[in-house]
Amino acid sequence: MDATLKDRIPISEPDLSGKELEYAAECVRSGWISSLGAYVTRFESSFASFCGARHGVATANGTAAIHLALVALGIKPGDEVIVPTLTFVASANAVTYTGARPVFADSDAATWTISPQDIERKIGPRTRAVLVVHLYGHPVDMAPILDIARKHKLWVIEDAAEAHGTEYRGRRVGNLGDVGTFSFYGNKTITTGEGGMIVTDDDNLRARLTLLRDQAMSPERRYWHDEIGFNYRLTNLQAAIGVAQLERIETFLARKRAIARCYADLLADVPGLTLAPEAPWAKSSFWMYTVLVEDGFPLDRDRLAAHLAEQGIDTRPVFHPMHTLPPYRAAGPFPVAENLARRGINLPSSVRLTDAQIQRVAGAIRSAR
Ligand SMILES: *Cc1c(COP(=O)(O)O)cnc(C)c1O
């Protein structure tokens, strides 16, 4: 029996019921719809202070944010950057765009994020940086990684696309390493449709980032370019929506955590399910609530997804590890990431999800045979 469209529970949908329309309309009325405009700088400064950083540099999307950050740090062809194998493909692609090579590290079984031990094993003479990913909203264990990076003189970039407001030992992620990047794609914790942001405390890095974002046009001489830059700008129209979203981010974050608590309560006693982790030092933003379907569960992950789809419930499988994709095929071993990828399923996690809908999802999981 197919649920009607009305009863369908999406994996994610944006909540645009604040001042998004008002601010966007103001852009249209005033004609400030391109990348100059007050909303861009306002979004940059308010998002940076949300992250506890001095500077924000808005970009066209989260992938562009990572690429720009790597270029500004001087990552170039021949370099290697260590990246978790379990991530969204953008993390690896952004490294490839610079001409550097992503070198993959396995996941940590306790946090599902990059393993500090495996980072250390993957360091070679060409390694220049570590790009960590706060996967599904859970923070990476930064302290050991920052130690390793200091010892080997490596940059640390945080891909925080899935982790707006996530806390590591009481501090928000994004400004824990050298530079942090965010995405505002439609399914992220706050959205501008498409959009991204880089945050940093470093004045020189910020100047590099803004220069490179705007075709590297000389600030002293118009249409003079000393090097090859990019057009990676965010529009004022998008930033207007971002400002409105940011006004309500605390409510969104509280709701994400309440959804996670609700799922955890309803699913705790289901045999064969492993629930999303939260380390004692972590405050996860639970961007996507994720569970592992173990051998003790009556169905495997894909059969559970099909069973939920029949009931009108959208889910997503955990990402395929990068080392299994054709452009990045690499020999392991990556046992932890492969296990997570085989068993992991993202459950509906939209801030607009009602408690009744969460109960329906949990009920459908409990009745799966
Ligand atoms: C969404 C995402 C990105 C890229 O963001 P876009 O805005 O879609 O380019 C990068 N890394 C991770 C881990 C993501 O989830």
Side-chain angles (χ1 to χ4, degrees):
M1 179 195 67
D2 270 3
T4 64
L5 211 58
K6 184 170 133 298
D7 292 335
R8 219 185 104 251
I9 302 180
I11 182 97
S12 169
E13 60 183 334
D15 179 336
L16 303 170
S17 61
K19 294 195 167 154
E20 288 80 0
L21 185 58
E22 182 187 327
Y23 295 170
E26 193 186 314
C27 294
V28 173
R29 259 186 239 112
S30 67
W32 290 93
I33 58 168
S34 199
S35 53
L36 286 175
Y39 279 117
V40 176
T41 41
R42 188 164 148 202
F43 188 38
E44 288 177 330
S45 59
S46 48
F47 192 78
S49 59
F50 171 79
C51 297
R54 294 188 46 226
H55 308 299
V57 177
T59 58
N61 56 64
T63 312
I66 307 170
H67 183 203
L68 203 60
L70 292 166
V71 173
L73 290 173
I75 302 300
K76 57 183 193 312
D79 292 344
E80 290 180 357
V81 177
I82 298 174
V83 178
T85 189
L86 194 64
T87 183
F88 179 56
V89 73
S91 319
N93 285 351
V95 172
T96 308
Y97 300 160
T98 67
R101 191 171 78 90
V103 172
F104 300 114
D106 200 7
S107 311
D108 173 76
T111 67
W112 304 356
T113 64
I114 193 167
S115 154
Q117 291 76 30
D118 208 35
I119 290 175
E120 199 142 32
R121 279 193 285 271
K122 300 293 163 68
I123 293 173
R126 292 167 177 268
T127 310
R128 293 284 312 280
V130 182
L131 195 161
V132 303
V133 181
H134 304 295
L135 195 71
Y136 300 129
H138 194 288
V140 168
D141 191 3
M142 293 300 289
I145 294 172
L146 292 170
D147 281 347
I148 294 166
R150 216 169 291 125
K151 197 165 89 191
H152 296 269
K153 298 191 166 46
L154 308 175
W155 300 112
V156 176
I157 301 116
E158 294 175 79
D159 177 354
E162 305 182 354
H164 318 62
T166 290
E167 290 177 27
Y168 174 69
R169 299 191 186 276
R171 288 179 60 198
R172 291 217 167 111
V173 302
N175 195 28
L176 304 173
D178 296 293
V179 62
T181 65
F182 290 85
S183 164
F184 306 116
Y185 179 66
N187 66 10
K188 300 292 157 87
T189 300
I190 61 169
T191 182
T192 60
E194 296 276 2
M197 186 84 75
I198 306 167
V199 298
T200 183
D201 274 348
D202 187 316
D203 298 353
N204 294 328
L205 189 59
R206 183 233 200 154
R208 266 317 271 146
L209 291 165
T210 39
L211 182 80
L212 289 167
R213 178 182 61 179
D214 192 15
Q215 306 283 23
M217 182 158 77
S218 163
E220 281 90 40
R221 193 172 170 198
R222 289 173 75 199
Y223 303 107
W224 185 260
H225 308 264
D226 284 308
E227 59 187 314
I228 296 173
F230 308 89
N231 173 3
Y232 277 172
R233 298 183 299 262
L234 186 78
T235 67
N236 200 49
L237 193 52
Q238 292 168 311
I241 292 170
V243 168
Q245 288 272 289
L246 194 55
E247 287 173 354
R248 291 188 303 147
I249 196 168
E250 301 294 348
T251 314
F252 293 165
L253 289 169
R255 184 64 194 146
K256 290 273 194 196
R257 287 187 62 80
I259 290 168
R261 212 172 314 119
C262 197
Y263 273 130
D265 288 348
L266 294 168
L267 297 173
D269 61 344
V270 178
L273 278 193
T274 297
L275 304 182
E278 186 172 38
W281 39 261
K283 189 171 176 189
S284 177
S285 61
F286 293 106
W287 169 61
M288 285 263 170
Y289 193 79
T290 307
V291 299
L292 304 183
V293 183
E294 310 284 3
D295 289 339
F297 194 80
L299 302 179
D300 69 15
R301 191 269 312 273
D302 293 340
R303 289 212 167 88
L304 174 60
H307 166 79
L308 294 174
E310 273 168 29
Q311 322 240 341
I313 298 166
D314 277 356
T315 62
R316 307 193 327 187
V318 157
F319 301 120
H320 296 286
M322 296 301 104
H323 72 272
T324 67
L325 303 180
Y328 293 122
R329 193 99 53 199
F334 301 100
V336 180
E338 284 173 8
N339 184 57
L340 294 169
R342 187 164 58 243
R343 301 180 185 282
I345 183 170
N346 304 135
L347 301 179
S349 299
S350 167
V351 291
R352 298 181 63 187
L353 209 59
T354 63
D355 287 357
Q357 287 177 316
I358 300 169
Q359 276 155 15
R360 213 178 103 202
V361 176
I365 293 172
R366 299 180 74 97
S367 67
R369 292 287 171 277

